[in-house]
């Protein structure tokens, strides 16, 4: 696979910066239980196809100039492929996840052990449920934090204390968008894209105030997890099923790179769900 990078002809200049990611291959991926509206155990899952799509995503990052570390998958943990939920690493501080559903709870220890072995420790913990980058998205020198379905709001304050960054709480109200990263995508240190209807009225007002020039996605964009994307400031890796959002990103000067993660969507995850960013000390994006 060859990726052609180009400078978008429309929109202000955008700046690429290399990133460090952690990903877990979907070796044991299956859907045998239902903990979000996307999951249906009666729908057949092709694990080999899921692994192929994951490999394309991984190779996309590598060809764009990013580094990818692989976290060993654990048998019996089919959702471990959604590495973003495994923790939060920002400014050299690693925070372990604590999952709400029993089926995923062992993932917290697995990711914490890997982060320690990778030299990201000591790994910190908070008291309460938090599902890592699923609900904590770093935007420049600020963290946007989701609550309402998975992550307890009390953990937002603790994450602020551990990282030294302000944390803005945002309530999610649509069960389809149970994690913040399914309803909001970070594009660069100042720019986000989001689906307003996924948020409470108060959260919508906060986002409109903080990001008046944000790219607002529509229902069709959100319904294919189009907002579950990964950006390096220029290139935006995203689903190939959200052409409207891709057009908006292009018009804003970004370079959308579309990938097919349809098999992993059956578990309720997309590009960002599969990607945990590892930010070094002194680096917040």
């Amino acid at each position: 696979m060859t990726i052609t990078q180009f400078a978008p002809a429309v929109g202000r200049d955008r700046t690429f910066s290399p990133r460090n990611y952690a990903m877990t291959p979907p070796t044991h991926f299956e859907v045998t239980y239902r903990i979000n509206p996307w999951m249906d155990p009666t729908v057949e899952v092709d694990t080999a196809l899921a692994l192929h799509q994951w490999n394309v995503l991984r190779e996309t990052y590598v060809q764009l100039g990013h580094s990818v570390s692989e976290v060993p998958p654990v048998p019996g943990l089919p959702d471990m492929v959604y590495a973003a939920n495994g923790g939060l690493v920002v400014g050299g501080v690693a925070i372990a996840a604590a999952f709400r559903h029993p089926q995923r709870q062992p993932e917290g220890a697995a990711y914490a052990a890997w982060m320690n072995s990778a030299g990201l420790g000591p790994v910190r913990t908070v008291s309460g449920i938090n599902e890592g980058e699923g609900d904590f998205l770093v935007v420049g020198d600020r963290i946007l934090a989701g609550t309402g379905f998975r992550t307890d709001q009390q953990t937002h304050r603790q994450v602020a204390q551990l990282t030294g960054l302000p944390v803005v709480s945002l309530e999610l109200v649509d069960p389809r968008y149970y994690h913040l990263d399914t309803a909001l995508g970070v594009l660069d240190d100042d720019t986000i894209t989001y689906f307003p209807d996924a948020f409470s009225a108060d959260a919508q007002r906060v986002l409109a105030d903080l990001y008046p020039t944000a790219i607002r996605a529509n229902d069709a964009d959100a319904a294919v997890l189009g907002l579950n994307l990964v950006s390096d400031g220029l290139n935006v890796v995203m689903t190939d099923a959200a052409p409207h959002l891709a057009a908006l990103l292009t018009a804003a000067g970004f370079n959308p790179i579309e990938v097919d993660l349809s098999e992993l969507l059956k578990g309720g995850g997309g590009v960002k769900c599969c990607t945990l960013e590892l930010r070094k000390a002194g680096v917040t994006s």
Side-chain angles (χ1 to χ4, degrees):
M1 179 183 63
T2 300
I3 299 169
T4 301
Q5 296 189 65
F6 61 93
V10 181
R12 66 174 188 169
D13 292 339
R14 302 292 178 183
T15 303
F16 159 87
S17 62
R19 310 296 173 101
N20 300 300
Y21 299 131
M23 300 178 67
T24 303
T27 308
H28 309 294
F29 179 66
E30 56 184 353
V31 178
T32 58
Y33 50 80
R34 183 180 175 89
I35 59 173
N36 68 57
W38 304 85
M39 304 176 82
D40 183 352
T42 68
V43 174
E44 184 178 354
V45 170
D46 186 335
T47 304
L49 177 57
L51 186 58
H52 168 73
Q53 292 176 347
W54 180 91
N55 276 316
V56 170
L57 176 61
R58 181 191 182 282
E59 185 62 19
T60 298
Y61 291 143
V62 172
Q63 291 199 26
L64 286 172
H66 308 300
S67 65
V68 178
S69 300
E70 288 195 23
V71 180
V74 176
L77 298 180
D79 287 340
M80 198 170 168
V81 62
Y82 305 122
N85 305 157
L88 173 67
V89 181
V90 57
V93 176
I95 301 173
F99 289 84
R100 181 165 299 281
H101 295 286
Q103 296 93 332
R104 300 199 66 183
Q105 286 171 0
E107 294 181 43
Y111 275 105
W114 180 84
M115 287 189 285
N116 272 316
S117 70
L120 300 172
V123 178
R124 316 297 180 88
T125 59
V126 297
S127 59
I129 302 299
N130 90 88
E131 299 202 351
E133 280 196 321
D135 275 322
F136 291 97
L137 295 178
V138 180
V139 190
D141 293 326
R142 173 189 296 135
I143 298 176
L144 301 181
T147 190
F149 295 104
R150 297 293 183 87
T151 296
D152 294 339
Q153 189 167 351
Q154 72 189 54
T155 67
H156 296 182
R157 182 179 64 258
Q158 298 172 65
V159 168
Q161 292 171 342
L162 287 171
T163 63
L165 296 177
V167 173
V168 178
S169 296
L170 301 168
E171 183 184 10
L172 298 163
V173 295
D174 187 328
R176 293 177 299 168
Y177 311 115
Y178 55 94
H179 277 149
L180 182 63
D181 70 356
T182 64
L184 185 150
V186 180
L187 299 172
D188 61 26
D189 287 351
D190 305 299
T191 314
I192 65 167
T193 177
Y194 69 103
F195 177 49
D197 290 353
F199 297 89
S200 68
D202 284 345
Q204 289 184 43
R205 284 190 287 270
V206 169
L207 288 170
D209 181 57
L210 290 176
Y211 304 100
T213 61
I215 297 171
R216 298 193 177 198
N218 63 21
D219 184 73
D221 300 323
V224 291
L225 292 190
L227 292 158
N228 195 247
L229 52 79
V230 171
S231 174
D232 58 30
L234 169 63
N235 305 295
V236 181
V237 185
M238 61 180 293
T239 179
D240 61 353
H244 172 262
L245 180 58
L248 293 178
L249 294 172
T250 299
F254 294 98
N255 177 25
I257 296 175
E258 299 169 301
V259 297
D260 177 9
L261 284 189
S262 54
E263 206 63 22
L264 291 169
L265 182 63
K266 294 177 180 178
V271 172
K272 176 56 189 170
C273 286
C274 294
T275 313
L276 173 64
E277 186 166 352
L278 310 176
R279 302 171 185 85
K280 299 177 181 179
V283 177
T284 56
S285 62

